[in-house]
Amino acid sequence: MRLLVLGGTAFLSRAVAEVGVARGHDVVTVSRGRSGTAPDGARAVIADRDEGLPDELRAQPFDAVVDVARFTAQVRDAVGAWPDAHRVFVSTISVYADTATASGGPGTLPLLAPLTDDASEDPEAYGRLKVACEDLVRAAVPSATIVRPGLIVGPGDPTGRFTYWPARLARAASDGGDVLAPGDPADAVQVIDVRDLAEWIVTLAQRRTAGTFDAVGPSVPLGRLLDDVAAGVGVTPAFRWVARAALEAAGVVPWAGPRSVPLWLPRPEFDGMLAHDDAPARAAGLRTRPVADTARDTLAWLRATPGATVTGLTAAEEAAVLAGR
Ligand SMILES: NC(=O)c1ccc[n+]([C@@H]2O[C@H](COP(=O)([O-])OP(=O)(O)OC[C@H]3O[C@@H](n4cnc5c(N)ncnc54)[C@H](OP(=O)(O)O)[C@@H]3O)[C@@H](O)[C@H]2O)c1
């Protein structure tokens, strides 16, 4: 298969290009050359999509195109090219207007209103632009898969969110103290390993699967996910669960960033965000590895990658929260 990856030099799109090469496909990547390099075996085209795809590229035939863009101008520019190629457009679960309802998916959850102003400062611009990008793809490409990932994790993750947990739990082996665990151990959480998602995206392209899917792993209680991460990094820590009210009183913020506990979300407002129905994706060929394996490999990557991002509470901040200071 001649596979064009629009992107191909960062986290997910690079993993897609890697899988394509490993499966013997003829892979071309397109990037500005800022985020990283294409995998060995792929042909790298350097171009800025804000200036339009190069004519020389448009003249080349492809069987499948994978696009991870979040701006409508880039997607609009790309949808007219290669009308006979199968398209896999990587969207996001952030397209949904409902974050509270569990077990939902494309057929049941309402979407945000589409937005076509790429420069908008709307707080929901990311999800709304992706809705508009999806619409552009569906309208212009006869054979397309829309893939809406949940939280993508694993080696190479530039966000440092899931990475916080393997890093924090590995430290428990040496410091021996309690580990702050946020919210309620029964809270539903859900991740997908970047490598599993990449394998599935290439499979969808090969099979020319049409439709819209949430790309998520199994939804599990947070307590179990943290136990699995601990098992993956080889520790048996003592978790100290701290309820939402106490976290908020201590100035701890959800999800990601400074003073956050990554993966923690306010409930019940976000009961659905990490609890999407994974059955349709599984029926369409998605296979996911155990979280323990993802955690082990993420820690190995982190240790081998100076400067890799880890977000969340520092050790001193966590100790202060646990001490009630
Ligand atoms: N991370 C998550 O948990 C999560 C969750 C849900 C959905 N998603 C979606 O998953 C996808 C992730 O894709 P990704 O990991 O590959 O990262 P990305 O940041 O979405 O895409 C980066 C790739 O696009 C290239 N690129 C960016 N701007 C460009 C431009 N103007 N012209 C040409 N190339 C450009 C980058 O290379 P250069 O910078 O070198 O140009 C890089 O190869 C996205 O669609 C994202 O919305 C992510």
Side-chain angles (χ1 to χ4, degrees):
M1 177 169 76
R2 289 162 301 190
L3 174 64
L4 176 64
V5 182
L6 297 172
T9 58
F11 193 40
L12 174 63
S13 55
R14 188 177 200 281
V16 169
E18 233 167 31
V19 170
V21 170
R23 292 193 194 177
H25 299 306
D26 179 7
V27 178
V28 175
T29 64
V30 178
S31 74
R32 295 165 300 180
R34 295 185 191 171
S35 298
T37 55
D40 287 346
R43 191 155 48 90
V45 172
I46 302 297
D48 186 343
R49 296 183 64 185
D50 289 334
E51 291 162 16
L53 291 169
D55 289 342
E56 186 195 321
L57 183 71
R58 287 175 183 276
Q60 296 172 32
F62 290 99
D63 301 300
V65 179
V66 175
D67 193 354
V68 295
R70 64 191 66 199
F71 297 116
T72 57
Q74 293 179 3
V75 173
R76 192 175 293 109
D77 175 54
V79 288
W82 313 288
D84 298 330
H86 182 79
R87 183 85 35 149
V88 181
F89 179 70
V90 180
S91 182
T92 168
I93 58 163
S94 297
V95 294
Y96 294 113
D98 178 346
T99 58
T101 305
S103 307
T108 61
L109 295 174
L111 295 178
L112 295 171
L115 175 74
T116 51
D117 173 6
D118 289 337
S120 168
E121 294 188 359
D122 183 309
E124 291 179 327
Y126 170 58
R128 295 185 57 197
L129 287 168
K130 284 283 199 182
V131 174
C133 291
E134 289 187 5
D135 289 347
L136 287 166
V137 171
R138 282 195 202 90
V141 182
S143 175
T145 327
I146 307 291
V147 167
R148 296 175 177 159
L151 183 65
I152 307 172
V153 304
D157 183 355
T159 72
R161 293 174 292 204
F162 176 82
T163 314
Y164 171 88
W165 286 107
R168 172 63 190 97
L169 292 175
R171 212 174 69 229
S174 51
D175 72 13
D178 286 356
V179 174
L180 187 159
D184 185 321
D187 287 345
V189 288
Q190 185 169 47
V191 298
I192 183 158
D193 189 297
V194 63
R195 297 163 294 179
D196 299 332
L197 179 53
E199 294 280 353
W200 187 48
I201 285 172
V202 177
T203 297
L204 292 167
Q206 289 171 186
R207 295 180 181 167
R208 298 177 73 91
T209 305
T212 301
F213 299 90
D214 289 342
V216 290
S219 183
V220 297
L222 177 58
R224 187 178 133 197
L225 181 122
L226 295 185
D227 285 345
D228 288 348
V229 173
V233 302
V235 295
T236 46
F239 290 109
R240 181 122 60 94
W241 289 88
V242 180
R244 172 180 179 172
L247 291 171
E248 287 175 347
V252 176
V253 300
W255 193 240
R259 279 201 76 77
S260 70
V261 182
L263 272 60
W264 171 55
L265 285 168
R267 314 290 173 138
E269 303 93 303
F270 288 94
D271 272 351
M273 190 170 134
L274 300 177
H276 285 248
D277 181 8
D278 64 339
R282 282 185 186 280
L286 173 65
R287 298 291 173 266
T288 55
R289 72 194 67 204
V291 166
D293 292 0
T294 300
R296 179 200 61 213
D297 297 347
T298 303
L299 182 64
W301 164 76
L302 184 63
R303 286 178 167 162
T305 313
T309 302
V310 182
T311 190
L313 291 178
T314 64
E317 288 167 345
E318 180 191 356
V321 175
L322 288 177
R325 295 197 297 271

